[in-house]
């Protein structure tokens, strides 16, 4: 024992995060992290010690450790996780019991994280392309060779114009370190093109910034006390599970739940009322609700007078939207809109859980602006269980120090162009021009799978297939994107690296300590960019910062000791942040308008009968493509146990649309537009409303029938605000195909 104690200081930093457990089943032990004198006591059957994992002198028996982790995925829940490790193997992942949003539960996907980490197809060594682009044929090379070749290629391009190099990344991990820290430093120093990260949330984000001044909203825990909850453009049973637990508690306590969604989702099944509006018509619905509130005396006049800026113009706009007009646009019963307006005017506390599903259409920004004004009109913000939650990410602005992590000063006065990630298909196929800048010559992709997730994937794949494009992909797997790479570099997973997380669905910072050693030759993104920086001779000392240093730089004003101890800390925020107004806008009031924008109105879809009648005649069905419950965007599609639950790519279609087309459940169908043809199997059901089909999940193209996924059909036109993609604004036609085809 004493020898191990002597070795403790060297290991203590690494171990500081480990909290210790009593493993049931009777063979382990209890420790406290603070104890400089390790109070390890082997309880029963076997002997083991923490010190095993740190190369210290210890008995040869297995060591069980418990590590604080965070779910890295692009999910509003950002669960705090407890990982149990034995002999470098993951024994268990479970939700942290004392973290209020997680409350001890993980979703099915992430409870199987070990299956993903130890997947036999994991990329464990650097790979160099040997076949044509897209074929996924590679040979193993050493890190030295890969980094040297990549640096040589990038340096040659940068010498002509560094803007010809484009970083492409999104939220494969939402960690502040493995997301954009060393990577951003690298591309800033290089002077590469900037990337506008619009693929998910910028329409809604820009709308919240206009209306409230920032991406801020209710505390998720307070939904338990709401008496009315509008679940709007969100399917939390699939995609925001921990919010759903709170909503169910409210329901059991008597709250009324409405679901506003074109699809009769799993969540809609469990709500009292479901309003199945046409995709992209939420703005019209919000205006009609305002019309009702105004004409039936449902406003909180005092709140409006003191805390809303520009109400008169909004009033005028809303009065042009009687319920019948909106009901026509939305394709719903006017009586349902009246009932919803009545509930919203009369039930307190009244909360809205808005989610990004409803802003993936042309008018997504305007729709979010209108909906975000609703709780201001009825004074719902007065209650802590009232108001709205679309994103909580803006609450973290005071504690995040992105400039320290990302070092925009390394641009040294240069002002590179910006590429919108949602138009990468077109942009890769564009020639250089004064307006566009240089033709894209190199892409460095990390934390994203654009060939599967970006709109109009036929164009995206054609761009990635360019022989003259130099592509580097940092990945865990040979995704559709990695198949097109010149070099694939093996990245660590969340269990193998250090990180720290903020959230967009709750208000806690969550720490992630590495639980196991990197598999194979995998390296953290941070380390890969550190080594590339060294190859390119970037001398700034910031390229020498290790991950522990980055962790300290990432946040300010945070109790790091508490973070290490618990694995999470809550932001100090008021309970009911806007009970007395105080929005983070210049005037402190919620804004109807902002310079250059105008009063929000309903904006019809790019692709709908109103805006494009000729197109609608040829392609009469609107298609939405919401996420699959057992995948996380395109992540997990290659995890067999989860793919087995999802089965195969499906298109939900209503019987009135299926019948005349000769389609039954199980029929193989072609879903097509002028842009492409997606093959899948039909599910004839009333989850789809008449006139709308639901293409479920972002499958890997290579695992889908005919090498296609649903983004074969989507287009690259953008939203009215935030320059975001319009995935759910898409007209299609469907026909049966022969099994052999
Ligand atoms: N299991 C799982 N969880 C996920 C994800 C996943 O892929 N799988 N993705 C994650 C990501 S990246 C995000 S951004 C978040 C949020 O992701 P969201 O895109 O908000 O996903 P959902 O919560 O499924 O909500 C989408 C819902 O909006 C509906 N919808 C589609 N069009 C419209 C419309 O025009 N109006 C209205 N009112 N509703 C519409 C869809 O039918 C669907 O039920 O979820 C995250 N969580
Ligand atoms: N049709 C349609 N398309 C959509 C959507 C839709 O609803 N319908 N949703 C859109 C939305 S909301 C989003 S957010 C985007 C999501 O698009 P992406 O952010 O590209 O998400 P994923 O498909 O999950 O791909 C993330 C990749 O990052 C990798 N990764 C994870 N962690 C790490 C790491 O630490 N290091 C490295 N190097 N790689 C890592 C994973 O292996 C995975 O392949 O898709 C969009 N596309
Ligand atoms: S994907 Fe979401 S629900 Fe599942 S563990 Fe991660 S944060 Fe929690
Ligand atoms: Mo997203």
């Amino acid at each position: 024992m004493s020898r191990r104690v002597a070795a403790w200081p060297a290991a203590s930093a690494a171990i500081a995060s480990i909290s210790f457990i009593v493993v049931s089943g009777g063979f382990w032990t209890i420790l406290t992290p603070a104890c400089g004198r390790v109070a390890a006591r082997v309880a029963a059957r076997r002997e083991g010690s923490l010190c095993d994992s740190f190369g210290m002198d210890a008995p040869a028996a297995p060591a069980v450790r418990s590590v604080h982790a965070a779910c890295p995925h692009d999910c509003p829940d950002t669960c705090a996780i407890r990982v149990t490790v034995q002999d470098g193997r993951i024994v268990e992942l479970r939700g942290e019991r004392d973290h209020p949003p997680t409350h001890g539960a993980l979703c099915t996907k992430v409870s199987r994280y070990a299956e993903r980490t130890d997947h036999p197809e994991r990329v464990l060594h650097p790979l160099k392309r040997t076949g044509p682009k897209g074929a996924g044929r590679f040979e193993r090379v050493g890190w030295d060779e890969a980094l040297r070749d990549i640096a040589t290629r990038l340096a040659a391009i940068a010498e002509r114009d560094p803007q010809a190099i484009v970083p492409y990344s999104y939220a494969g991990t939402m960690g502040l370190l493995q997301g954009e820290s060393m990577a951003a430093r690298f591309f800033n120093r290089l002077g590469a093109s900037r990337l506008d990260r619009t693929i998910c949330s910028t329409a809604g984000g820009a709308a919240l910034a206009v209306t409230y001044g920032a991406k801020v909203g209710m505390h998720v825990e307070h939904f338990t006390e709401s008496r009315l909850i509008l679940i709007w453009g969100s399917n939390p049973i699939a995609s925001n599970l921990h919010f759903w637990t709170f909503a169910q508690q409210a329901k059991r306590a008597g709250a009324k739940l409405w679901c506003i969604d074109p699809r009769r989702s799993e969540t809609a099944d469990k709500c009292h009322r479901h309003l199945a509006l046409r995709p992209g018509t939420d703005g019209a619905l919000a205006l009609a609700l305002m019309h009702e509130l105004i004409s039936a005396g449902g406003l909180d006049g005092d709140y409006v007078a003191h805390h809303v800026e520009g109400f008169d113009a909004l009033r005028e706009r809303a009065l042009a939207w009687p319920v019948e007009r909106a009901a026509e646009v939305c394709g719903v019963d006017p009586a349902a809109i009246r009932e919803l307006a009545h509930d919203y005017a009369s039930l307190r506390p009244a909360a809205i859980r808005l989610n990004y599903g409803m802003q993936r259409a042309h008018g997504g920004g305007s729709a979010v602006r209108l909906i975000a004004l609703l709780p201001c009109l009825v004074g719902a913000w007065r209650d802590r269980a009232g108001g709205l939650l679309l994103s909580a990410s803006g609450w973290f602005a005071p504690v995040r120090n992105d400039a320290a992590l990302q070092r925009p000063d390394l641009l040294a006065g240069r002002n590179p162009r910006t590429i919108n990630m949602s138009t990468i298909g077109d942009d890769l196929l564009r020639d250089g021009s004064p307006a566009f800048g240089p033709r894209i010559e190199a892409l460095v992709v990390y934390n994203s799978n654009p060939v599967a997730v970006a709109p109009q994937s036929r164009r995206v794949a054609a761009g990635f297939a360019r022989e003259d494009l130099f592509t580097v992909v940092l990945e865990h797997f040979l995704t559709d994107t990695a198949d097109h790479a010149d070099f694939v570099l093996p990245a660590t997973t969340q269990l193998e690296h250090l990180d720290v997380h903020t959230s967009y669905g709750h208000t806690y910072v969550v720490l992630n300590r590495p639980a196991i050693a990197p598999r194979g030759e995998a390296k953290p993104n941070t380390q890969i960019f550190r080594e590339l920086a060294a190859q390119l001779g970037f001398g700034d000392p910031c390229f020498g910062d290790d991950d522990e240093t980055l962790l300290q730089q990432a946040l300010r004003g945070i109790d790091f000791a508490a973070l290490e101890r618990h694995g999470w800390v809550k932001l100090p925020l008021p309970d009911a942040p806007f009970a007395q107004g105080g929005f983070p806008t210049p005037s402190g009031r919620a804004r109807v308008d902002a310079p250059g924008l105008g009063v929000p109105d309903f904006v019809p879809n790019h692709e709908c009968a109103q805006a494009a009648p000729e197109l609608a005649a040829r392609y009469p069905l609107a298609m939405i493509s919401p996420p699959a419950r057992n995948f996380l965007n395109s992540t997990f599609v290659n995890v067999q146990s989860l793919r087995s639950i999802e089965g195969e790519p499906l298109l939900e279609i209503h019987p009135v649309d299926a019948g005349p087309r000769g389609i039954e459940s199980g029929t193989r169908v072609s879903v097509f537009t002028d842009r492409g043809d997606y093959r899948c199997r039909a599910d004839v059901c009333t989850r789809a409303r008449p006139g709308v089909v639901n293409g479920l999940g972002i499958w890997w193209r290579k695992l889908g029938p005919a090498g296609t996924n649903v983004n074969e059909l989507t287009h690259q036109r953008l939203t009215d605000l935030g320059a975001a993609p319009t995935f759910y604004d898409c007209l299609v036609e469907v026909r049966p195909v022969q099994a052999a085809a």
Side-chain angles (χ1 to χ4, degrees):
M1 195 64 183
S2 60
R3 268 186 301 155
R4 275 187 267 143
V5 172
W8 180 263
S12 63
I15 300 180
S17 64
I18 303 165
S19 311
F20 306 100
I21 48 163
V22 184
V23 172
S24 58
F27 72 85
W28 248 96
T29 146
I30 191 87
L31 301 174
T32 70
C35 63
R37 280 167 292 280
V38 183
R41 212 183 321 279
V42 177
R45 287 186 281 160
R46 298 198 230 170
E47 291 205 325
S49 161
L50 269 174
C51 304
D52 298 354
S53 325
F54 297 90
M56 284 173 277
D57 186 16
V64 177
R65 299 188 298 128
S66 168
V67 183
H68 286 308
C71 176
H73 291 298
D74 188 351
C75 170
D77 298 17
T78 315
C79 289
I81 302 180
R82 197 59 87 91
V83 184
T84 309
V85 191
Q86 183 170 15
D87 289 338
R89 274 190 322 104
I90 302 297
V91 178
E92 187 193 27
L93 271 83
R94 67 172 165 77
E96 204 64 87
R97 291 206 182 94
D98 64 348
H99 179 234
T102 307
H103 48 71
L106 299 178
C107 65
T108 311
K109 306 177 285 296
V110 171
S111 26
R112 315 229 175 138
Y113 209 78
E115 190 181 341
R116 185 174 185 277
T117 299
D118 289 324
H119 195 293
E121 285 160 14
R122 178 114 182 252
V123 176
L124 295 175
H125 311 281
L127 299 174
K128 184 177 175 178
R129 180 165 69 93
T130 56
K133 294 226 171 179
R137 284 211 298 276
F138 298 96
E139 66 183 7
R140 178 175 169 181
V141 292
W143 270 109
D144 286 348
E145 179 186 343
L147 292 171
R148 201 176 48 239
D149 285 7
I150 293 167
T152 305
R153 238 354 238 282
L154 293 182
I157 297 170
E159 201 165 292
R160 289 192 298 281
D161 186 345
Q163 298 176 100
I165 300 168
V166 176
Y168 197 100
S169 69
Y170 200 63
T173 167
M174 299 209 66
L176 301 188
L177 273 47
Q178 307 308 331
E180 307 299 335
S181 64
M182 206 46 90
R185 290 179 184 184
F186 177 80
F187 292 111
N188 283 335
R189 170 64 183 78
L190 194 60
S193 285
R194 285 182 281 209
L195 187 74
D196 197 1
R197 295 186 168 81
T198 56
I199 199 110
C200 170
S201 63
T202 47
L208 288 187
V210 170
T211 314
Y212 298 158
K215 291 168 84 172
V216 289
M218 292 171 57
H219 299 246
V220 68
E221 306 92 302
H222 294 168
F223 278 87
T224 50
E225 300 159 16
S226 309
R227 302 289 294 173
L228 174 71
I229 304 179
L230 276 46
I231 300 177
W232 197 326
S234 173
N235 179 16
I237 291 183
S239 67
N240 189 189
L241 198 59
H242 295 78
F243 157 76
W244 177 246
T245 308
F246 294 135
Q248 273 181 305
Q249 283 176 33
K251 187 182 171 194
R252 282 195 290 272
K256 183 167 177 183
L257 271 53
W258 278 81
C259 181
I260 302 168
D261 193 317
R263 176 169 185 257
R264 186 169 59 74
S265 63
E266 302 83 334
T267 305
D269 285 340
K270 299 232 154 58
C271 290
H272 299 96
R273 300 285 279 127
H274 174 211
L275 199 66
L277 76 186
R278 289 198 185 96
T281 62
D282 304 84
L285 175 62
L287 284 161
L289 293 175
M290 290 179 190
H291 184 284
E292 283 298 285
L293 294 172
I294 293 166
S295 53
L299 298 182
D300 180 334
D302 184 61
Y303 197 92
V304 172
H306 291 100
H307 307 308
V308 179
E309 191 183 331
F311 174 68
D312 291 343
L314 181 67
R315 183 173 198 280
E316 201 177 314
R317 169 74 20 96
L319 289 178
W321 280 92
V323 166
E324 276 70 23
R325 180 180 176 197
E328 174 94 23
V329 169
C330 301
V332 299
D333 180 0
I337 301 182
R338 288 210 172 81
E339 182 187 337
L340 176 57
H342 178 264
D343 286 348
Y344 197 59
S346 56
L347 295 173
R348 286 287 172 279
I352 300 177
R353 182 51 167 119
L354 194 62
N355 212 338
Y356 289 112
M358 51 68 60
Q359 45 100 70
R360 307 194 201 289
H362 185 190
S366 295
V368 172
R369 286 174 66 197
L370 288 164
I371 295 165
L373 286 163
L374 287 169
C376 306
L377 300 188
V378 300
W381 287 111
R382 291 183 190 277
D383 302 305
R384 72 174 198 170
L388 176 142
L389 176 61
L390 169 60
S391 173
S393 62
W395 291 127
F396 293 91
V399 301
R400 280 179 65 148
N401 195 352
D402 290 354
L405 268 190
Q406 304 179 1
R407 298 292 304 271
D409 57 295
L410 292 167
L411 282 167
R414 294 167 296 176
N415 185 22
R417 64 146 173 222
T418 299
I419 297 288
N420 185 337
M421 71 187 300
S422 302
T423 54
I424 192 66
D426 281 350
D427 289 343
L428 281 175
L429 297 172
R430 231 183 270 283
D431 287 329
S433 73
F436 179 62
R439 183 167 166 85
I440 298 174
E441 290 185 62
L443 269 180
V444 183
V445 183
Y446 51 103
N447 304 339
S448 186
N449 183 12
V451 174
V453 307
Q456 206 174 350
S457 41
R458 203 177 268 194
R459 299 273 295 169
V460 182
F464 271 86
R466 271 176 45 199
E467 267 305 322
D468 63 328
L469 180 74
F470 179 63
T471 305
V472 179
V473 177
L474 285 61
E475 250 301 348
H476 302 149
F477 294 103
L478 289 180
T479 59
D480 292 326
T481 305
D483 280 350
H484 290 81
D486 292 281
F487 283 96
V488 184
L489 301 178
T492 45
T493 67
Q494 188 78 341
L495 297 172
E496 300 157 306
H497 56 225
L498 176 67
D499 220 325
V500 68
H501 290 251
T502 57
S503 172
Y504 61 103
H506 65 59
T507 47
Y508 299 76
V509 173
V510 188
L511 178 69
N512 183 80
R513 283 277 164 196
I516 54 174
R519 298 302 193 216
E521 294 179 0
K523 296 185 185 192
N525 291 344
T526 44
Q527 181 62 17
I528 297 174
F529 284 106
R530 222 175 259 129
E531 293 181 13
L532 277 174
Q535 287 283 340
L536 282 162
F538 294 169
D540 190 292
C542 76
F543 291 105
D545 291 345
D546 63 10
D547 283 7
E548 290 290 347
T549 307
L550 293 174
L551 172 64
Q552 298 299 321
Q553 292 165 349
L555 300 164
R556 52 188 164 206
I558 281 286
D559 182 346
F560 275 97
L563 185 63
E564 294 285 5
R565 209 162 43 243
H566 300 298
W568 51 267
V569 287
K570 183 154 170 90
L571 295 178
L573 292 171
D575 252 9
F578 309 125
Q580 269 99 45
F583 293 92
T585 54
S587 67
R589 297 195 282 167
R591 281 192 296 199
V592 168
D593 201 354
L597 286 179
V599 178
D601 200 354
F602 166 64
V603 177
N605 278 1
H606 290 294
E607 300 200 341
C608 69
Q610 185 184 343
E614 187 270 340
L615 187 76
R618 283 191 293 141
Y619 298 110
L621 298 170
M623 186 191 76
I624 58 173
S625 46
R629 182 170 178 173
N630 293 289
F631 303 147
L632 202 301
N633 300 323
S634 78
T635 303
F636 295 108
V637 179
N638 63 326
V639 173
Q640 186 57 52
S641 68
L642 295 169
R643 195 159 79 239
S644 304
I645 306 175
E646 288 294 326
E648 62 181 322
L650 290 179
L651 184 84
E652 294 174 344
I653 181 167
H654 192 275
V656 302
D657 295 318
R661 290 175 173 80
I663 294 169
E664 295 169 6
S665 275
T667 304
R668 283 197 174 282
V669 291
S670 152
V671 192
F672 60 101
T673 67
D674 290 344
R675 297 175 285 273
D677 176 357
Y678 166 49
R679 299 298 169 90
C680 59
R681 210 179 275 281
D683 179 6
V684 179
C685 63
T686 56
R687 290 210 178 279
R689 59 157 281 160
V692 180
V693 292
N694 311 323
L696 302 180
I698 315 177
W699 287 70
W700 285 14
R701 282 161 64 86
K702 62 180 168 185
L703 296 176
T708 58
N709 77 5
V710 74
N711 278 320
E712 190 81 0
L713 305 172
T714 52
H715 55 78
Q716 298 175 65
R717 270 164 292 172
L718 303 174
T719 50
D720 55 346
L721 254 187
T726 53
F727 291 110
Y728 303 171
D729 175 342
C730 178
L731 288 176
V732 303
E733 181 52 291
V734 188
R735 66 178 163 222
V737 289
Q738 299 308 318

